Amino acid sequence: MKQYSILFLALFLQLQIWAQSHRLEFKTPHGNFKVMLYDFTPQHQDLILEAIKNGVYHEALFNRVIENFVVQGGEHDDAIALRETGIPKDQHQRLPAEFDPRAYHKMGALGAGRDDNEQKASFLNQLYFVVGKSVLPHELTELEQKKGVSFTEEQRQNYLSEGGLPRLDGDYTVFGEVYEGLEVLLEISRLKTNSKDAPLQNIPFEIVEIQD
């Protein structure tokens, strides 16, 4: 019976991947991995597709790498802060948050970085991937009590079996997930960094849309 359950889950996940409209390939010196974008976070989906077309991520870097946490790339927080120096906060360009219970911080989740703005709106040109850690049942219960939320059964099962970063749910927008090549991201997450979490050697990446 357990084998049938595993096969059903694998089939369900595969159908979910192909049900989404857009898929991307990230190319790095450490290997490539593939990502599906969620149709139910349309603004963030459109944002990254336009960015790819306009070359926003041309010669981009994964510039913040933290094992068991995230691999982050695109425009760095410091660069954004410098560029926005002297600009009133209400004029900072951000994308409104898109929260959906189907989009959560599972292993391999693709999210949008942000600052401490009250609206939890996203930076336009910064992304991250979850390379989280194992999650225990009592941790989910404590998070539900602390944040006043309730994890869905799917979220709970995924976090307990695969791990992730549930504490970020509802605070940062997730708009896609890795469906092939997660081991590449995990390898990148283990590379040596300095005291500011910057890799000691540059990690460039290129994004292309996968055409059927």
Side-chain angles (χ1 to χ4, degrees):
M1 182 63 70
K2 185 176 181 180
Q3 289 181 326
Y4 286 115
S5 298
I6 294 173
L7 288 172
F8 176 79
L9 179 60
L11 178 60
F12 173 78
L13 292 174
Q14 192 65 31
L15 290 173
Q16 185 182 42
I17 290 168
W18 290 103
Q20 305 303 312
S21 301
H22 297 279
R23 290 170 294 126
L24 309 176
E25 183 170 15
F26 282 68
K27 300 182 178 182
T28 85
H30 300 274
N32 303 342
F33 56 93
K34 296 179 180 180
V35 174
M36 71 168 178
L37 301 178
Y38 297 147
D39 289 342
F40 42 83
T41 50
Q43 294 183 74
H44 284 74
Q45 180 187 81
D46 290 346
L47 177 67
I48 193 169
L49 291 174
E50 283 299 312
I52 294 169
K53 291 178 182 177
N54 295 331
V56 171
Y57 286 102
H58 179 62
E59 297 183 347
L61 300 174
F62 285 122
N63 47 40
R64 184 171 179 241
V65 174
I66 306 176
E67 188 175 2
N68 299 322
F69 187 53
V70 299
V71 172
Q72 180 177 295
E75 193 170 18
H76 196 282
D77 295 28
D78 293 343
I80 295 172
L82 181 62
R83 177 168 52 77
E84 294 180 339
T85 299
I87 301 176
K89 281 192 174 182
D90 61 358
Q91 295 181 26
H92 292 177
Q93 290 188 317
R94 301 287 186 270
L95 187 66
E98 292 183 288
F99 298 135
D100 188 294
R102 294 168 291 180
Y104 55 99
H105 287 81
K106 65 175 74 173
M107 289 290 291
L110 167 62
R114 68 170 179 85
D115 54 9
D116 60 355
N117 70 90
E118 293 182 359
Q119 295 75 31
K120 302 179 181 178
S122 306
F123 287 140
L124 301 186
N125 305 317
Q126 185 188 96
L127 52 82
Y128 64 87
F129 289 95
V130 172
V131 287
K133 55 185 180 180
S134 60
V135 178
L136 299 174
H138 77 270
E139 292 175 322
L140 292 179
T141 300
E142 290 171 1
L143 279 171
E144 288 179 323
Q145 295 171 348
K146 180 180 179 180
K147 302 182 73 170
V149 299
S150 180
F151 291 106
T152 67
E153 187 60 28
E154 176 192 335
Q155 292 172 336
R156 183 172 291 275
Q157 289 184 1
N158 194 291
Y159 280 136
L160 294 179
S161 63
E162 304 296 334
L165 294 172
R167 66 183 178 85
L168 299 185
D169 287 346
D171 288 320
Y172 294 80
T173 295
V174 169
F175 61 102
E177 66 180 85
V178 175
Y179 69 89
E180 184 179 312
L182 181 60
E183 67 278 1
V184 174
L185 272 173
L186 294 176
E187 178 187 340
I188 291 173
S189 75
R190 292 188 286 265
L191 296 176
K192 292 184 178 180
T193 60
N194 63 22
S195 60
K196 294 184 177 180
D197 302 317
L200 297 184
Q201 294 185 337
N202 284 345
I203 310 172
F205 67 90
E206 177 187 359
I207 314 173
V208 296
E209 185 172 4
I210 298 172
Q211 303 294 336
D212 294 329

